């Protein structure tokens, strides 16, 4: 929503209305910092007297539920070797939780362009957190593993930080995807080429950046009515047998398929498969992920619940919960025999679900805002339009 501005005198033209920054980062800024249509909290009066638009509870719910599944999946990883059922669940969850997250990120990046305020936000909300958390994770591995020789390299993302690199690249290329004629087929072609190109290497985790690219581009081209389609009652009913079939296929595939295909971080040759398998698996997994993501979206509540507000803090939960997972791994907590029993697995699942929930709350966000949403006005020039608007406001 734009602010209404009055002309100041007969000879002074009104300033252009302030445009809002695009929302594409999984954890958008709070309403106190930016009043975008998707980042405003409760309804509030705008300067022009019009009520500000509220956040869409559906997307906040979807982001929160997706990040809970991410945390649970990471908690299952050290335990899944003892249970074929758990590994089947792990496979199914990994088929859609990050695609769902990325599609939403793409959907809220549709208005991104090279405007100065949006570029500033991309730097402060994505690039700076990447530098800080990549360094923090590397130091944590040196101390906790312990691995004193673990390098601190911004060119080789470790563990969770690859997503920030990917989001930075995807957002920068958004204007290009908005002008090409067939963006989704082009993105799929790039993903296929990446899956058969082992020479890409591990720098900046480009395999993941390129292989997950189609989901981001899909989000860019989606419209509100597409989400309405998957939220229909018949889709919700159909999703039950679809998920049941996916679990059955996952159980069957456990001894027959390399789970690393779902990580999208390796070329086919790196996984010991022929080159053509990369193209087949990329397209097949894209189709499977879309079906499961649609089923997931169909069950996401549309109403506001106690956890809806936590959808604004999913990037916090994503980046911070990794320290808990790695601490448990480094210090041998997952090795306790009881945790490898069904009851122990359920307990671990609930604990990590609760932990990531806490990490998405407002108090935690206030503590870590310096690293996720730093105020860096000192680092940027002020936009000419913004300066003119401030001068006009003072004269008024």
């Amino acid at each position: 929503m734009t602010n209404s501005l009055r002309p100041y005198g007969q000879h002074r033209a009104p300033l252009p209305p302030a445009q809002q920054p695009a929302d594409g980062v999984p954890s958008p800024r709070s309403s106190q910092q930016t009043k975008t249509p998707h980042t405003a909290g409760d309804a509030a009066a705008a300067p022009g007297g019009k009520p500000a638009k509220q956040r869409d509870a559906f997307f906040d719910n979807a982001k929160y539920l997706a990040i809970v599944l991410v945390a649970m999946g990471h908690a299952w990883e050290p335990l899944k070797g003892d249970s074929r059922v758990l590994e089947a669940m792990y496979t199914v969850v990994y088929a859609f939780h990050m695609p769902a997250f990325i599609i939403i990120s793409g959907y809220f990046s549709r208005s991104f362009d090279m405007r100065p305020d949006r570029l500033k936000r991309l730097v402060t909300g994505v690039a700076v957190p990447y530098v800080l958390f990549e360094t923090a994770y590397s130091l944590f591995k040196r101390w906790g593993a312990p691995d004193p020789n673990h390098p601190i390299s911004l060119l080789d993302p470790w563990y969770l930080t690859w997503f920030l690199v990917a989001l930075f690249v995807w957002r920068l290329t958004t204007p290009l995807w908005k002008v090409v004629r067939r963006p989704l087929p082009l993105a799929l072609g790039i993903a296929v080429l990446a899956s058969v190109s082992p020479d890409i290497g591990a720098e900046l985790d480009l395999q993941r950046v390129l292989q997950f690219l189609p989901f981001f581009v899909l989000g860019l081209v989606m419209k509100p009515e597409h989400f309405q389609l998957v939220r229909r009652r018949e889709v919700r009913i159909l999703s039950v047998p679809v998920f049941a079939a996916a679990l059955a296929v996952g159980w069957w595939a456990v001894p027959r398929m390399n789970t690393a295909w779902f990580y999208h971080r390796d070329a086919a040759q790196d996984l010991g498969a022929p080159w053509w398998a990369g193209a087949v698996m990329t397209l097949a997994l894209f189709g499977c992920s879309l079906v499961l993501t649609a089923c997931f979206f169909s069950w996401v509540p549309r109403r506001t619940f106690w956890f809806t507000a936590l959808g604004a803090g999913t990037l916090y939960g994503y980046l911070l919960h990794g320290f808990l997972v790695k601490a448990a791994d480094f210090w041998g907590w997952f090795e306790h025999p009881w945790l490898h029993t069904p009851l122990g697995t359920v307990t671990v699942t609930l604990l990590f679900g609760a932990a990531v929930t806490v990490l998405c709350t407002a108090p935690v966000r206030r503590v870590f805002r310096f690293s996720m949403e730093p105020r860096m006005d000192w680092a940027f020039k002020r936009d000419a339009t913004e300066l003119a608007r401030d001068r006009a406001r003072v004269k008024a």
Side-chain angles (χ1 to χ4, degrees):
M1 185 174 64
T2 57
N3 296 331
S4 59
L5 296 175
R6 300 189 306 270
Y8 299 100
Q10 298 178 350
H11 304 289
R12 184 178 300 157
L15 294 170
Q19 299 182 26
Q20 302 297 349
D23 188 353
V25 180
S27 176
R29 293 180 186 271
S30 62
S31 58
Q32 287 80 7
Q33 293 173 300
T34 56
K35 297 287 186 180
T36 64
H38 190 65
T39 57
D42 297 330
K50 299 179 181 179
K53 294 182 180 179
Q54 289 184 315
R55 297 177 67 100
D56 190 327
F58 169 80
F59 291 107
D60 277 333
N61 292 337
K63 289 191 296 180
Y64 166 74
L65 294 174
I67 203 63
V68 168
L69 289 174
V70 169
M72 289 179 174
H74 288 153
W76 290 345
E77 191 165 357
L79 308 176
K80 63 184 178 67
D82 298 321
S83 171
R84 188 170 176 177
V85 173
L86 182 61
E87 190 152 3
M89 294 171 58
Y90 176 89
T91 300
V92 172
V93 166
Y94 262 73
F96 74 89
H97 67 3
M98 284 308 296
F101 212 75
I102 294 168
I103 287 172
I104 295 175
S105 296
Y107 180 74
F108 285 105
S109 296
R110 293 172 302 163
S111 60
F112 181 84
D113 53 27
M114 295 300 177
R115 214 175 66 191
D117 61 327
R118 288 172 177 164
L119 289 174
K120 291 176 187 177
R121 187 176 174 192
L122 184 61
V123 170
T124 59
V126 180
V128 172
Y130 170 69
V131 172
L132 295 177
F133 275 87
E134 176 62 25
T135 303
Y137 269 113
S138 298
L139 292 174
F140 187 65
K141 186 175 184 181
R142 283 188 176 187
W143 169 71
D147 183 7
N149 296 321
H150 180 75
I152 300 176
S153 172
L154 299 181
L155 297 179
D156 187 13
W158 186 66
Y159 198 37
L160 302 178
T161 55
W162 71 269
F163 180 72
L164 295 177
V165 175
L167 187 59
F168 187 86
V169 174
W170 296 335
R171 293 287 299 279
L172 276 183
T173 60
T174 292
L176 174 63
W177 296 113
K178 292 193 292 187
V179 299
V180 297
R181 191 177 296 274
R182 296 287 186 269
L184 186 56
L186 177 59
L188 278 170
I190 292 174
V192 167
L193 289 175
S195 71
V196 300
S197 305
D199 292 339
I200 288 178
E203 284 76 12
L204 295 177
D205 226 338
L206 283 180
Q207 280 288 356
R208 274 175 164 166
V209 173
L210 298 177
Q211 291 192 39
F212 275 115
L213 173 64
F215 298 104
F216 183 82
V217 174
L218 176 62
L220 286 176
V221 301
M222 288 184 72
K223 298 179 181 178
E225 51 265 32
H226 296 139
F227 287 97
Q228 294 295 335
L229 288 175
V230 301
R231 291 160 64 176
R232 295 184 301 177
R233 183 172 181 269
E234 52 267 34
V235 178
R236 192 156 51 248
I237 294 174
L238 183 61
S239 67
V240 176
V242 169
F243 267 120
L247 287 171
V249 172
W251 186 87
W252 173 86
V254 163
R256 298 174 175 86
M257 180 179 175
N258 189 343
T259 309
W261 284 108
F262 294 92
Y263 303 149
H264 297 284
R265 66 186 178 197
D266 301 292
Q269 297 90 323
D270 297 325
L271 299 178
W275 70 268
W276 54 264
V280 173
M281 290 299 294
T282 297
L283 297 175
L285 288 177
F286 181 76
C288 293
S289 296
L290 281 190
V291 171
L292 293 176
T293 300
C295 293
F296 168 72
F297 283 150
S298 72
W299 279 97
V300 172
R302 307 178 192 183
R303 298 186 294 109
T304 300
F305 288 86
W306 63 267
F307 55 80
T308 301
L310 302 180
T314 49
L315 188 60
Y316 288 80
Y318 174 79
L319 290 174
L320 294 173
H321 89 276
F323 290 103
L324 301 180
V325 175
K326 285 303 178 183
D329 186 27
F330 292 159
W331 302 332
W333 297 347
F334 287 120
E335 297 174 7
H336 196 286
W338 181 78
L339 295 181
H340 293 259
T341 65
L343 182 58
T345 300
V346 171
T347 302
V348 169
T349 302
L350 295 176
L351 284 176
F352 276 89
V356 77
T357 297
V358 172
L359 294 176
C360 293
T361 58
V364 174
R365 298 205 304 267
R366 282 195 294 270
V367 171
F368 288 96
R369 183 161 290 148
F370 74 94
S371 61
M372 305 280 199
E373 303 172 275
R375 299 184 63 86
M376 297 179 60
D377 296 338
W378 54 269
F380 301 102
K381 297 178 180 178
R382 295 195 67 185
D383 183 62
T385 302
E386 183 183 354
L387 289 171
R389 187 180 297 110
D390 288 345
R391 286 195 297 267
R393 190 178 297 117
V394 170
K395 293 179 180 179

